[in-house]
Amino acid sequence: MGECEDAEEYRCWEELLPDALGLIFRNLPLQEVLTVLPRVCKSWGRVVAGPYCWQEIDIEEWSQQQSKPEQIGRMVELLVGRSGGSCRRISVSGLPCDPLLSFVGDHARALRALEIPRSEISDSIVETVAPRLSNVTFLDISSCTKIGARALEAFGKHCKSLVGLRRVMHPIDLVDKECQHDEAHAIACSMPKLRHLEMGYMLITTEAVAEILGQCRELKFLDLRGCWAVDDKFLRERHPGLRVLGPRVEDCYENSYWEECSDYSDDDSSIYSWEFMDDADGYYTVGSDDEAIWDDGQGLENLEVRFYGGGFSESFAGFDWPPSP
């Protein structure tokens, strides 16, 4: 009798609601979700194959470790397709081509956060796709070197609820540029509701920032790290309620990035940084194409400092999986 009472007290995992399982599975590594969970039982496989795990798609770290752009494309298409149009956030580094952004625009129209740093997208595709991303409130287009003022204006024009923009560059991205005042002007004219803006290492002056502050009256936080031509003292005096980071910031991460770049001397390392701030608001059967993505051995209002790195390394991404139940 006691055993029956104990059995009634605990509910079997496979009987949990799919939404609840989806919330739990989101805390697991991407590789385990796609290749291990479907082997456990049919109900878990259905959860992984459906939209429950993919309302937020965060494969940024994994995508940074991929040497083949087509791997990133296949993964984005797989997961966005599984979301069934319910995806609210996508975070992926290095979208390899324009058609992939168009795919996201067609299949993720409920999207509220789009984070695509280092992506190979163009102004023209942004102008085409932006009308389909009207619900986006947070945008990360850091180090997207093929876009400029046209793309920013298109995002601002169509994403009318945009409150957060991250457009952090790396000095290497800007070697052929003299200034980015046109981008600052596009931000000022098209994104009046911004509250959080990151412009680290952009080639802008105090006048360009002043134009943004004159139009974006709701701005609360401004990241100007590495914007050496900006007079931050002037900005703080004119806008005492604004939280300003930079231009001069000493971070521990600056040196570690440049130690890996043999083409650059140590003398230059003290002024560079690759660190981001985050203040965004706010499934299947064994043997499917999920595992094919791994076949080549590639691994899959608080301020938070983010470093771009980590994820699945080749040594971590082998096939030494637990045996099937």
Side-chain angles (χ1 to χ4, degrees):
M1 187 70 178
E3 293 181 359
C4 294
E5 291 177 354
D6 290 341
E8 292 177 357
E9 183 178 349
Y10 298 100
R11 190 173 183 178
C12 296
W13 275 82
E14 64 269 18
E15 295 178 3
L16 285 176
L17 293 174
D19 301 80
L21 286 173
L23 289 173
I24 296 170
F25 293 165
R26 287 180 206 171
N27 297 308
L28 297 175
L30 176 65
Q31 197 166 359
E32 291 186 11
V33 172
L34 290 177
T35 61
V36 177
L37 294 183
R39 291 185 169 104
V40 175
C41 61
K42 291 182 179 179
S43 63
W44 285 21
R46 286 192 293 268
V47 171
V48 174
Y52 310 102
C53 290
W54 313 115
Q55 293 180 20
E56 292 192 10
I57 298 173
D58 186 351
I59 56 172
E60 182 182 326
E61 291 188 355
W62 172 84
S63 59
Q64 290 177 39
Q65 304 301 316
Q66 305 310 301
S67 60
K68 297 181 179 179
E70 60 269 22
Q71 292 286 81
I72 298 175
R74 291 170 60 193
M75 183 66 80
V76 170
E77 290 177 351
L78 173 70
L79 301 186
V80 171
R82 289 188 175 191
S83 72
S86 65
C87 183
R88 298 190 300 267
R89 174 178 177 248
I90 293 177
S91 179
V92 54
S93 178
L95 285 183
C97 58
D98 284 352
L100 209 52
L101 181 63
S102 183
F103 178 86
V104 171
D106 288 336
H107 296 86
R109 299 203 177 196
L111 203 62
R112 296 182 62 82
L114 177 62
E115 303 167 36
I116 50 172
R118 304 193 188 104
S119 292
E120 299 292 317
I121 57 175
S122 64
D123 285 326
S124 58
I125 194 63
V126 171
E127 290 172 332
T128 301
V129 174
R132 299 175 236 163
L133 300 173
S134 58
N135 293 313
V136 169
T137 61
F138 181 82
L139 177 65
D140 182 353
I141 46 174
S142 299
S143 284
C144 294
T145 58
K146 294 184 178 181
I147 62 173
R150 285 172 52 195
L152 285 166
E153 185 177 357
F155 277 126
K157 177 181 177 181
H158 297 286
C159 304
K160 296 186 181 299
S161 299
L162 193 67
V163 295
L165 172 66
R166 180 180 292 136
R167 177 64 168 159
V168 177
M169 307 302 289
H170 193 285
I172 293 177
D173 302 330
L174 307 173
V175 291
D176 296 325
K177 288 183 176 289
E178 294 185 2
C179 71
Q180 292 174 289
H181 293 166
D182 57 341
E183 294 192 20
H185 180 71
I187 292 171
C189 294
S190 65
M191 303 178 183
K193 295 184 178 180
L194 282 181
R195 298 201 299 264
H196 183 110
L197 176 59
E198 301 180 32
M199 306 174 69
Y201 298 96
M202 287 183 65
L203 300 177
I204 52 176
T205 62
T206 305
E207 291 72 20
V209 177
E211 181 183 9
I212 293 175
L213 294 177
Q215 298 295 326
C216 304
R217 302 295 182 87
E218 299 180 30
L219 202 60
K220 303 297 183 184
F221 174 78
L222 181 60
D223 180 359
L224 294 172
R225 284 171 298 169
C227 300
W228 311 116
V230 176
D231 184 351
D232 57 308
K233 183 178 180 181
F234 171 81
L235 297 178
R236 289 186 172 94
E237 290 175 351
R238 294 289 297 271
H239 303 274
L242 179 66
R243 300 168 64 188
V244 180
L245 179 63
R248 297 162 186 82
V249 175
E250 184 78 22
D251 348 272
C252 62
Y253 192 69
E254 290 175 348
N255 294 333
S256 64
Y257 178 84
W258 288 96
E259 286 171 358
E260 300 174 5
C261 301
S262 58
D263 293 338
Y264 294 86
S265 67
D266 293 338
D267 294 336
D268 296 327
S269 64
S270 62
I271 63 172
Y272 297 118
S273 170
W274 190 241
E275 150 187 294
F276 288 172
M277 306 297 294
D278 188 14
D279 192 18
D281 295 327
Y283 281 180
Y284 156 94
T285 62
V286 174
S288 78
D289 57 354
D290 285 8
E291 295 189 12
I293 292 179
W294 313 97
D295 283 346
D296 63 355
Q298 295 286 342
L300 226 298
E301 242 128 21
N302 296 324
L303 293 177
E304 177 184 351
V305 177
R306 299 180 62 202
F307 300 109
Y308 276 57
F312 294 107
S313 62
E314 292 184 357
S315 61
F316 183 77
F319 286 90
D320 188 17
W321 308 116
S324 300

